[in-house]
Amino acid sequence: MLKTETHLLLPLWPNSFLSYSYSAMFTGKPKREFVRTCNFYVLKKKRYCRMLVRPGLNYCGQHLVEEPDADKSYQRKRIPCPLDPKHSCFEDNVEHHVLKCNARELTDLPYMKRNINQRADMEEEPTKTPLSNLSDQELLAFIAKVEKIHQDHVGTIEESVLSHSALDEEMKTPGYGLSVIRHLGQNSSLLGHLEQCGLLDTKSKPTCYVEFGAGRGQLTHWLTEAVTDTKKAMFVLVDRGSQRYKFDAKLKYREELSLCRIRVDIQHLDLSNIEGIESYSHIVGVGKHLCGGATDLTLYCLSKLRDPAVSGLAFALCCHHRCTWTSYVGINFLQECGFSPEEFYTLTSLTSWATCNSRDVGSKEEKEVSGEKELLSNADMEGNHKDKQTVENRYTRLNLSAQYREEVGRKAKQILDYGRVKFLQDCGFRSRLVQYVTKDMTLENIALVAEA
């Protein structure tokens, strides 16, 4: 007699499932098995965790740290990992765990030299002053300073939205949402700029491409489709974290590709010691999401290469509020413009206005103190104990509309970016800033492009 079996999971509120196993045989009764799942509510997914729990417990191994009675003597207590609090480990096993934890810092790697990409003339970290601590006169004077320096040095940044044929068919795929189309459009434009600079011609110029802050490696995936000869190219993906669902997991099965992924902080990366890179006469750096100081560490890293030499680069720039005094490459430019070390973090704070001011505040809203309705920059709120209504009233009193603050924030970003342009020019590159995608696609639409 043919026997088939199916399982159904029926949810029981809030954290358990009743599992029924139905046999197709006419004899016997359905097998019932009660299975408990984790009590932890995942806010991002708006549901309870579905991992199974051991008998007598309410949480799975990952979320056992949330157990109110975790200190009971009959239980092994779990604590946040000291290296990465995003996961937990057993308290009595923490010494062994840190030796094998994926978040541990590896120091015995040939391409790792501690702090090799830190600025040589590093000074003492200046004091960070929140914008809310500036008087009205100081704030208005600093905004006027930003306006003048932007007008004198940066000016209007050219809009240059390009594309590459390698992504044409993919972007026509039906069913893709706006987020997917946005990422594809950004990748296509970056590849278009590389092609415009002649940096994709591997047939005549064997090239090693290094993607910094690679994440899942989507940009490298499309690079392999865009170069003229993959057999004469090497692809290196650099990221300090371990990613899931990597694009290069499939690329490694293509025998003609020379590809490697390294996990290291860019601050400690010595590119010249990566195995195989010496076989290529040209190096090209790329990146689509290098937050703040990571861009500056990357520029230092590339500027130190002499043999083989760097032929060019293309980086999408973002997260200027995360720039740091100890890593920023354009310090000389800022000092020439009259910015003091103490004003550096005031400038980075202003950059948040470019992306955090999505609306203006009318007279009605000024009378309300509603956390859900206020969109203020992180820089304004850091260390600020005044309520949001007071801050908004200040902007209204000073006639600083949301639209004007956004414009000032973008100019502050572009001043920081222009400092990077000047650094590359001092290193012998022909560098420029471009609007590589439209502002409608992303507010972070500036790219740094350079060629030797």
Side-chain angles (χ1 to χ4, degrees):
M1 182 181 295
L2 181 64
K3 177 181 178 181
T4 59
E5 192 174 272
T6 58
H7 292 269
L8 294 178
L9 283 180
L10 304 180
L12 297 178
W13 181 263
N15 67 326
S16 58
F17 285 86
L18 197 60
S19 176
Y20 287 92
S21 176
Y22 288 95
S23 172
M25 296 179 64
F26 292 100
T27 58
K29 298 180 179 180
K31 178 184 177 183
R32 298 187 178 187
E33 182 181 352
F34 183 72
V35 180
R36 290 190 63 84
T37 54
C38 182
N39 257 354
F40 184 81
Y41 188 78
V42 186
L43 286 175
K44 185 177 181 180
K45 299 182 178 180
K46 298 180 181 180
R47 62 168 174 78
Y48 285 90
C49 172
R50 292 172 180 168
M51 295 293 290
L52 303 182
V53 300
R54 297 176 62 182
L57 300 181
N58 294 319
Y59 295 86
C60 65
Q62 175 66 27
H63 298 126
L64 196 58
V65 67
E66 305 292 334
E67 174 66 70
D69 300 325
D71 57 345
K72 289 184 178 180
S73 58
Y74 63 85
Q75 292 181 2
R76 295 179 67 190
K77 183 179 179 182
R78 291 189 74 90
I79 60 173
C81 171
L83 300 180
D84 180 9
K86 291 180 181 178
H87 67 274
S88 60
C89 61
F90 286 111
E91 186 177 36
D92 57 7
N93 196 43
V94 65
E95 292 183 3
H96 178 69
H97 173 80
V98 296
L99 296 177
K100 62 178 184 178
C101 179
N102 287 333
R104 73 190 186 282
E105 187 176 274
L106 303 176
T107 57
D108 56 346
L109 302 172
Y111 46 78
M112 182 176 178
K113 290 186 180 178
R114 192 156 192 82
N115 295 328
I116 187 176
N117 297 319
Q118 282 282 19
R119 200 169 75 238
D121 57 339
M122 193 166 56
E123 304 171 11
E124 186 178 348
E125 183 83 12
T127 304
K128 298 181 181 180
T129 304
L131 293 181
S132 56
N133 286 7
L134 298 179
S135 67
D136 291 351
Q137 292 74 19
E138 289 173 331
L139 179 60
L140 291 175
F142 192 80
I143 291 174
K145 186 175 184 177
V146 168
E147 293 270 21
K148 185 177 189 325
I149 291 173
H150 185 274
Q151 180 181 353
D152 293 345
H153 296 277
V154 184
T156 303
I157 295 179
E158 173 193 5
E159 183 175 297
S160 181
V161 181
L162 304 181
S163 62
H164 194 280
S165 57
L167 288 91
D168 287 349
E169 290 301 318
E170 186 71 12
M171 294 190 69
K172 295 176 184 176
T173 304
Y176 279 167
L178 292 177
S179 177
V180 176
I181 295 298
R182 175 169 60 86
H183 287 298
L184 291 174
Q186 289 174 289
N187 287 327
S188 183
S189 186
L190 287 174
L191 292 182
H193 282 282
L194 290 176
E195 185 178 45
Q196 187 181 67
C197 296
L199 298 175
L200 296 180
D201 183 16
T202 55
K203 187 172 293 184
S204 60
K205 295 182 293 185
T207 304
C208 176
Y209 297 91
V210 185
E211 183 182 359
F212 294 87
R216 294 172 59 205
Q218 187 180 38
L219 182 54
T220 292
H221 167 75
W222 292 112
L223 259 176
T224 62
E225 300 292 332
V227 297
T228 55
D229 189 350
T230 54
K231 294 181 180 179
K232 294 184 178 180
M234 178 180 178
F235 303 92
V236 179
L237 299 95
V238 179
D239 202 287
R240 68 178 180 180
S242 180
Q243 302 292 327
R244 300 172 67 189
Y245 312 119
K246 297 184 285 287
F247 280 80
D248 45 303
K250 296 180 180 179
L251 293 177
K252 65 183 180 181
Y253 295 109
R254 292 173 55 180
E255 295 181 358
E256 78 278 9
L257 285 182
S258 176
L259 181 143
C260 72
R261 175 182 282 267
I262 59 177
R263 187 165 67 89
V264 65
D265 194 312
I266 301 172
Q267 179 178 335
H268 313 305
L269 174 62
D270 182 4
L271 273 182
S272 60
N273 283 332
I274 293 179
E275 184 179 359
I277 201 171
E278 70 282 353
S279 303
Y280 297 85
S281 55
H282 301 273
I283 306 294
V284 173
V286 296
K288 193 174 77 70
H289 193 87
L290 280 171
C291 283
T295 299
D296 302 296
L297 294 173
T298 298
L299 295 180
Y300 275 125
C301 180
L302 292 172
S303 68
K304 294 177 184 295
L305 269 183
R306 294 294 178 267
D307 187 23
V310 177
S311 298
L313 56 88
F315 295 126
L317 305 171
C318 67
C319 305
H320 297 75
H321 63 282
R322 299 185 65 179
C323 290
T324 63
W325 174 259
T326 55
S327 64
Y328 180 62
V329 297
I331 292 298
N332 292 338
F333 167 71
L334 292 185
Q335 291 176 339
E336 290 172 4
C337 293
F339 285 111
S340 66
E342 290 71 24
E343 290 178 319
F344 174 79
Y345 284 112
T346 305
L347 186 64
T348 60
S349 295
L350 278 185
T351 64
S352 62
W353 283 1
T355 52
C356 294
N357 288 296
S358 60
R359 63 166 182 82
D360 210 342
V361 181
S363 56
K364 266 192 174 181
E365 285 79 0
E366 289 177 5
K367 299 178 183 178
E368 299 178 357
V369 184
S370 171
E372 296 178 357
K373 294 185 178 181
E374 298 292 336
L375 276 173
L376 300 175
S377 68
N378 292 334
D380 279 339
M381 298 310 297
E382 183 181 349
N384 181 17
H385 299 293
K386 300 176 182 179
D387 60 36
K388 298 175 182 179
Q389 182 185 18
T390 302
V391 177
E392 286 293 356
N393 283 338
R394 181 192 192 189
Y395 292 152
T396 304
R397 184 178 69 254
L398 297 177
N399 197 27
L400 299 176
S401 66
Q403 290 79 7
Y404 178 69
R405 296 201 305 272
E406 181 178 339
E407 180 184 342
V408 171
R410 290 183 68 80
K411 289 179 178 179
K413 280 176 174 286
Q414 292 168 13
I415 288 174
L416 290 170
D417 291 337
Y418 193 74
R420 292 161 171 166
V421 170
K422 297 291 287 183
F423 171 80
L424 288 173
Q425 289 176 352
D426 292 340
C427 293
F429 290 91
R430 299 190 301 275
S431 55
R432 65 188 186 279
L433 297 173
V434 295
Q435 297 186 49
Y436 78 109
V437 292
T438 61
K439 190 179 172 182
D440 294 336
M441 182 172 287
T442 173
L443 294 175
E444 301 277 22
N445 68 329
I446 303 297
L448 175 61
V449 180
E451 49 187 313

